Amino acid sequence: MNHSTSLECSSLDKSQFASVLSFEGFVTECEILENLKRIKKVEENPPPPKKKKRERIANEDQLEWKELSIKWKKTIQQNNREIPSEFVSLLQQTNQLEDACMGLELRNVEEEIIPLLCKQIIIPELSFQRNGILIRQILLPKVSSLQQAASRSLLNSIIETAKEHPKSILYSLVFPLLIHSDFGSSQNEIVNRLIKDCFSVDITLMMLDGILKINSPEQNESNISTIEHDSSIMLRTFREQFQPKEGQLSLKWNEMLIGTIITILSLKIIPTSNMIQILVQQVEQHHEEFSKSQKFANLILVLASKHSSLIIPHIPILKKALSGVQSFFTKTAMDKLNTLSKG
């Protein structure tokens, strides 16, 4: 598509989607431009508004999107499962992206189409916000509904997307999964895979910072690192998108979350002193809930083994929290803390 065509497409909304996509197979650039000119003419001289009830408008709107969704999927099937370039361009440039994704039922597409969508629509040229919307509409519904291990096709799509767009995956897939009530072993496996194979040190630290602060109301922090500053900005956006109408976002401490924190702390990263302080406070807050948890005791052991210099000021609190835990790792962790306390 030439430059002038791209400019003409930049302001397309849902009704324009329907006009441009009403074809059987591919369309030419000339046909697109003719459609756009016709649309623009109608917009400049719109017919007198008709009086309709809101319910009727909503129903007609829904039917229009439904028909468009059917045409889009039919077009892919007719063209060897390739997404028409015109459709890709329109979806990338529409000003009503979330409405377009919902109307086109992207969350319900077949899994074998997901790699095509991720490769052709979620691209570096788009903003963090737009790629985030696409990830929430295409990947999040599939992953959150998993009852068993993800298929190779879905997992590869997630991994490839994470390597290209790690921040968007973190805030539009990982964090929404962590706060989801149905977060289970299938989702946990994907999250840990992303931490180990896809995320850089900075993204991993942003993830740790987010886990520790997601339940806390936003505060004005001074003397924080660049990573913590960036994390605060991203968390603010995340809260705006996922904040429930009543109450606050909730990230529940459980065995899986503790395992995720252990995975992060076991890597070659250096958390800030502020992150360690908040983590120790949360360990103290939750230790009674995990009195027989091996993972909880292992978390303290990992802190003592991998981040010993950072926990020196917090050894008394950690020893107190660990003393009530009956676990295979308790003695080893306590010995390590005692050794550190002696200098």
Side-chain angles (χ1 to χ4, degrees):
M1 187 175 291
N2 62 32
H3 182 65
S4 62
T5 304
S6 299
L7 291 176
E8 295 272 18
C9 291
S10 63
S11 63
L12 290 175
D13 62 12
K14 179 173 62 59
S15 62
Q16 295 166 324
F17 264 103
S19 298
V20 177
L21 287 177
S22 59
F23 63 87
E24 296 294 333
F26 290 100
V27 296
T28 66
E29 289 184 340
C30 291
E31 289 172 320
I32 292 177
L33 288 173
E34 287 300 319
N35 270 333
L36 290 172
K37 290 176 181 177
R38 175 176 54 81
I39 292 166
K40 186 175 181 182
K41 185 176 180 181
V42 171
E43 287 179 342
E44 291 174 350
N45 302 282
K50 298 179 181 179
K51 295 182 179 180
K52 295 181 180 180
K53 293 184 178 180
R54 290 185 179 180
E55 292 80 1
R56 184 180 173 187
I57 294 175
N59 290 337
E60 291 181 355
D61 197 49
Q62 188 174 7
L63 285 173
E64 186 179 2
W65 275 124
K66 187 72 175 179
E67 292 173 359
L68 184 55
S69 178
I70 293 172
K71 288 181 180 179
W72 168 69
K73 293 172 184 176
K74 182 179 179 181
T75 302
I76 293 177
Q77 292 171 353
Q78 291 176 338
N79 292 282
N80 299 319
R81 309 197 77 80
E82 292 185 3
I83 301 176
S85 59
E86 292 83 1
F87 171 80
V88 173
S89 178
L90 299 179
L91 193 55
Q92 288 173 352
Q93 298 179 49
T94 176
N95 293 324
Q96 300 178 9
L97 180 57
E98 194 142 18
D99 289 340
C101 291
M102 294 176 66
L104 293 169
E105 300 180 337
L106 294 189
R107 60 177 54 232
N108 296 325
V109 299
E110 299 172 1
E111 274 198 16
E112 50 265 37
I113 298 178
I114 288 179
L116 296 174
L117 290 171
C118 291
K119 184 177 181 179
Q120 296 185 41
I121 296 176
I122 305 174
I123 59 174
E125 288 78 8
L126 296 184
S127 67
F128 166 79
Q129 289 83 359
R130 291 181 72 85
N131 277 328
I133 291 173
L134 292 167
I135 289 169
R136 291 197 301 274
Q137 292 292 328
I138 298 170
L139 293 175
L140 181 57
K142 295 293 184 187
V143 178
S144 61
S145 63
L146 286 173
Q147 299 295 323
Q148 56 188 7
S151 67
R152 179 176 297 180
S153 173
L154 178 59
L155 184 59
N156 287 341
S157 295
I158 295 168
I159 289 174
E160 291 303 314
T161 304
K163 289 178 179 179
E164 291 289 329
H165 314 281
K167 276 188 183 180
S168 296
I169 282 286
L170 177 59
Y171 289 95
S172 295
L173 181 67
V174 174
F175 281 144
L177 288 174
L178 290 176
I179 65 172
H180 200 278
S181 58
D182 292 331
F183 185 79
S185 58
S186 301
Q187 292 77 20
N188 188 57
E189 182 180 348
I190 291 174
V191 169
N192 285 325
R193 180 74 180 271
L194 291 172
I195 295 169
K196 293 176 182 178
D197 296 346
C198 301
F199 289 166
S200 66
V201 170
D202 286 355
I203 296 296
T204 304
L205 285 172
M206 289 181 73
M207 180 176 176
L208 177 61
D209 190 69
I211 288 173
L212 297 174
K213 297 177 182 177
I214 202 168
N215 286 343
S216 306
E218 190 171 344
Q219 298 177 350
N220 292 324
E221 298 174 323
S222 57
N223 300 322
I224 61 174
S225 67
T226 301
I227 289 175
E228 289 174 295
H229 177 264
D230 291 346
S231 174
S232 296
I233 294 173
M234 296 297 179
L235 277 179
R236 186 182 309 138
T237 302
F238 177 75
R239 289 190 182 100
E240 291 172 355
Q241 293 168 343
F242 290 92
Q243 185 75 37
K245 293 182 179 180
E246 295 182 2
Q248 293 185 347
L249 288 175
S250 176
L251 181 58
K252 182 177 176 57
W253 264 63
N254 53 36
E255 294 283 332
M256 287 188 185
L257 182 64
I258 293 172
T260 298
I261 297 174
I262 290 173
T263 299
I264 293 174
L265 294 175
S266 299
L267 299 174
K268 294 181 179 180
I269 63 169
I270 303 176
T272 66
S273 58
N274 187 47
M275 291 179 194
I276 292 294
Q277 181 178 351
I278 296 173
L279 177 56
V280 170
Q281 291 172 349
Q282 295 188 10
V283 165
E284 181 182 26
Q285 178 183 349
H286 294 287
H287 75 276
E288 293 181 356
E289 304 169 33
F290 300 95
S291 59
K292 296 183 179 180
S293 170
Q294 292 199 44
K295 283 189 178 179
F296 189 83
N298 191 30
L299 171 59
I300 297 177
L301 177 59
V302 170
L303 278 171
S305 302
K306 300 282 187 178
H307 307 282
S308 55
S309 62
L310 292 171
I311 67 164
I312 297 295
H314 310 291
I315 288 179
I317 295 175
L318 292 173
K319 289 173 69 174
K320 183 179 178 180
L322 186 61
S323 63
V325 180
Q326 299 176 10
S327 163
F328 175 79
F329 293 104
T330 299
K331 185 178 185 304
T332 305
M334 189 64 78
D335 289 344
K336 187 70 176 177
L337 290 174
N338 288 329
T339 301
L340 290 173
S341 63
K342 293 176 183 178

